[in-house]
Amino acid sequence: MLQPVAWVLDQVAQQLIADAQEGEPNVDQGRVLPSASVLADVCQALSWVLFPLHFFGPTSQGSRVRAVEETLRRALTALRQEIYYALMVGGAKGTPSADNCERHSSDLVMLLANRLPRIRALLIKDLAAAYAGDPALIDTNEALLCYPGLEAILHHRIAHALHTLAVPLVPRMITELAHSKTGIDIHPGAEIGESFFIDHGTGVVIGETCRIGARVRIYQGVTLGARSIPVNERGHAVKGTFRHPIVGNDVIIYAGATILGRVVIGHGSTIAGNVWLTRSVPPGSRVTQADAINEGFGDGSGI
């Protein structure tokens, strides 16, 4: 085993602090960033209260209500703290008031709490869509406990609610927690309808301004992205533009398909695997790859 070394690091530490004061203007003394580990615990607790019959075990109705209430109280208290940090750091231009941020964080958390029954109703339909769409699925318990698509959707439903409440930083951190675990990248700004199912899921990307209808099913490797990124006179990406697809109801998008730009995929359409699509298609479309050309090569002519 290596012997301890008496590192002399005070000058390095001082330089790092000095550099940070130059490069991190939005973070000053008394302000800290939200914690990803705390938000992970919050999401775990919220998943329990959203599915209390699954996670709180057999008990009396009164005991279950008390357990859900206490779990919810702890989760929302922790979330309030993280939202407060986010508001202090990134919630307003200039120097936001700590008192205002404290009050606002409390209001935002209560607004989220009131939306939880609606989020649960959407998740129940997402579970039903998983069961209906996957013949390998034994029951919805398996989807809830094992399917990365359901974990990503659960995180997104919570994050999207916070996003619509204009909470800074925290919604994106929540979706990135799911992204790091599942390989499914859904921006919290994306609007996703009921009964949404992502099968397998690895490599799925859903951009910020996507609008996805009801009963949509997508597979691994699907990208709903932007065709181009407009820039301003300074060369910076223009914010707030509608640049991602609109997907109608009852659409199926198979593995590896890439759909780019503000195009509309009509209701009831099917997009086959590995399709590259940059144009709108009418309702009921069946979009497949072009047939391969059967052509032989010789003497290096295929290079």
Side-chain angles (χ1 to χ4, degrees):
M1 180 179 292
L2 294 175
Q3 295 300 309
V5 176
W7 302 104
V8 179
L9 300 174
D10 59 323
Q11 290 185 350
V12 176
Q14 290 177 24
Q15 185 64 54
L16 288 171
I17 293 296
D19 291 345
Q21 291 171 346
E22 293 288 332
E24 301 178 47
N26 292 328
V27 183
D28 59 18
Q29 293 185 2
R31 301 190 191 185
V32 296
L33 293 171
S35 165
S37 61
V38 171
L39 290 174
D41 291 340
V42 167
C43 289
Q44 180 69 76
L46 290 179
S47 72
W48 294 342
V49 302
L50 287 166
F51 294 96
L53 301 185
H54 291 75
F55 292 113
F56 286 96
T59 184
S60 68
Q61 180 73 4
S63 296
R64 184 177 291 122
V65 169
R66 288 191 295 273
V68 169
E69 182 181 1
E70 182 57 31
T71 302
L72 184 58
R73 190 182 307 279
R74 290 197 304 269
L76 294 181
T77 299
L79 179 60
R80 178 194 177 207
Q81 183 70 69
E82 302 312 303
I83 291 177
Y84 169 79
Y85 290 148
L87 291 170
M88 287 292 291
V89 173
K93 295 180 180 179
T95 305
S97 161
D99 288 341
N100 287 341
C101 289
E102 184 173 345
R103 286 192 295 270
H104 193 32
S105 64
S106 297
D107 293 341
L108 290 168
V109 165
M110 198 62 225
L111 288 170
L112 175 68
N114 290 331
R115 294 187 184 188
L116 289 177
R118 170 60 178 161
I119 292 172
R120 171 181 158 76
L122 287 171
L123 290 169
I124 291 296
K125 291 184 177 181
D126 295 331
L127 282 170
Y131 183 76
D134 186 357
L137 184 59
I138 297 173
D139 57 28
T140 55
N141 290 326
E142 183 182 2
L144 182 61
L145 295 174
C146 305
Y147 275 37
L150 262 297
E151 180 162 3
I153 294 167
L154 188 150
H155 279 71
H156 175 267
R157 299 288 190 200
I158 296 169
H160 182 69
L162 292 170
H163 178 85
T164 60
L165 294 171
V167 175
L169 291 176
V170 170
R172 188 62 183 270
M173 293 176 70
I174 289 174
T175 55
E176 288 304 317
L177 287 169
H179 184 193
S180 65
K181 289 182 66 177
T182 66
I184 299 169
D185 181 1
I186 310 177
H187 193 283
E191 299 177 19
I192 300 177
E194 64 183 39
S195 302
F196 183 55
F197 178 41
I198 304 174
D199 202 355
H200 305 296
T202 305
V204 165
V205 177
I206 300 175
E208 175 191 15
T209 61
C210 275
R211 287 171 47 196
I212 298 175
R215 300 172 301 280
V216 170
R217 176 161 34 118
I218 66 177
Y219 289 80
Q220 68 273 17
V222 166
T223 296
L224 302 178
R227 184 173 183 179
S228 62
I229 302 174
V231 297
N232 60 24
E233 63 278 0
R234 300 176 60 188
H236 297 165
V238 176
K239 311 297 182 182
T241 58
F242 295 102
R243 59 197 182 279
H244 299 104
I246 298 172
V247 180
N249 300 333
D250 302 298
V251 169
I252 302 174
I253 306 174
Y254 283 100
T258 298
I259 305 173
L260 302 179
R262 195 61 166 181
V263 300
V264 177
I265 308 302
H267 302 329
S269 294
T270 298
I271 310 301
N274 297 318
V275 163
W276 180 278
L277 189 61
T278 57
R279 58 178 175 82
S280 296
V281 298
S285 296
R286 300 293 182 267
V287 182
T288 63
Q289 296 186 71
D291 292 336
I293 299 174
N294 186 13
E295 181 178 349
F297 298 105
D299 297 325
S301 62
I303 299 177

